[in-house]
Amino acid sequence: MAMDEAREPTRRDFLYLSTGMAGAVGVAAAAWPFIDQMRPDASTLAAASIEVDVSSLTEGMSLTVKWRGRPVFIRNRTAEEVEAARAVAMADLKDPEARNANLADDQAATDLARSAGEGRENWILMIGVCTHLGCVPLGQAGDFGGWFCPCHGSHYDTAGRIRKGPAPENLAIPRYEFISEAVVRVG
């Protein structure tokens, strides 16, 4: 038989192919329980987002809620706090990135990029975990009137931007949206 002639498939070829396919299906069927058990539990999925009523937070008040096992600071900032945050020069910031999950990654850390946006500049939501070693900062404290982590001396301003101390990044802002005037959904 010449090399360039096509060979007819035999019964043996069919058996090899069928056996290989049956083996692949068997391996997939045996592996599925292990793969399926890696999916999140229903209670975890339920905690994927929370809705918080912020109607009782008057100007200057804060609220801390727990989301995915971490504290989230929600603050209705005063007009003076917003103005103080707007007045900060970008060159004075230790971390120039907004770190806001609601915006593109390359956004500058302006007060507007850190707040709830146009028309809601007074609202700020942040994950309340210091970016240095994971401590929980104290609110309305520190050299800039924002948050202060007493463990190692990190000072955050009223927009949650790191201004002084060993923390390398601004406090992170989770994905959130106002679903009404009084309710915000985090996650």
Side-chain angles (χ1 to χ4, degrees):
M1 180 158 60
M3 290 300 265
D4 53 351
E5 287 183 37
R7 184 172 72 91
E8 284 289 317
T10 65
R11 184 174 176 184
R12 178 173 290 164
D13 294 333
F14 174 75
L15 289 174
Y16 282 146
L17 183 63
S18 298
T19 304
M21 288 174 46
V25 168
V27 167
W32 179 250
F34 297 109
I35 295 168
D36 188 48
Q37 61 101 20
M38 290 186 232
R39 290 188 321 169
D41 181 53
S43 62
T44 304
L45 292 175
S49 67
I50 59 170
E51 292 182 3
V52 181
D53 182 359
V54 294
S55 61
S56 63
L57 290 181
T58 59
E59 189 176 283
M61 291 183 69
S62 295
L63 173 69
T64 302
V65 295
K66 193 171 185 179
W67 173 67
R68 294 186 180 175
R70 297 181 290 178
V72 173
F73 299 150
I74 302 174
R75 179 150 177 85
N76 186 355
R77 300 183 296 172
T78 64
E80 294 80 25
E81 289 174 327
V82 173
E83 286 305 314
R86 283 184 183 164
V88 174
M90 293 302 291
D92 293 344
L93 297 178
K94 191 173 179 180
D95 180 13
E97 293 184 26
R99 307 228 181 266
N100 187 338
N102 302 292
L103 303 174
D105 289 339
D106 59 350
Q107 289 286 322
T110 63
D111 179 63
L112 185 61
R114 302 269 309 153
S115 72
E118 197 72 42
R120 287 202 165 107
E121 294 91 350
N122 57 313
W123 289 102
I124 189 157
L125 284 84
M126 300 169 298
I127 297 174
V129 176
C130 181
T131 59
H132 178 232
L133 291 176
C135 307
V136 178
L138 305 173
Q140 294 72 58
D143 292 352
F144 303 96
W147 288 265
F148 172 66
C149 185
C151 299
H152 297 98
S154 294
H155 297 257
Y156 298 90
D157 66 9
T158 58
R161 300 173 293 197
I162 183 64
R163 299 289 301 280
K164 180 179 169 185
E169 297 178 349
N170 300 325
L171 293 174
I173 296 175
R175 189 165 306 281
Y176 70 90
E177 67 176 323
F178 278 86
I179 56 175
S180 74
E181 287 298 316
V183 178
V184 63
R185 178 183 297 135
V186 180

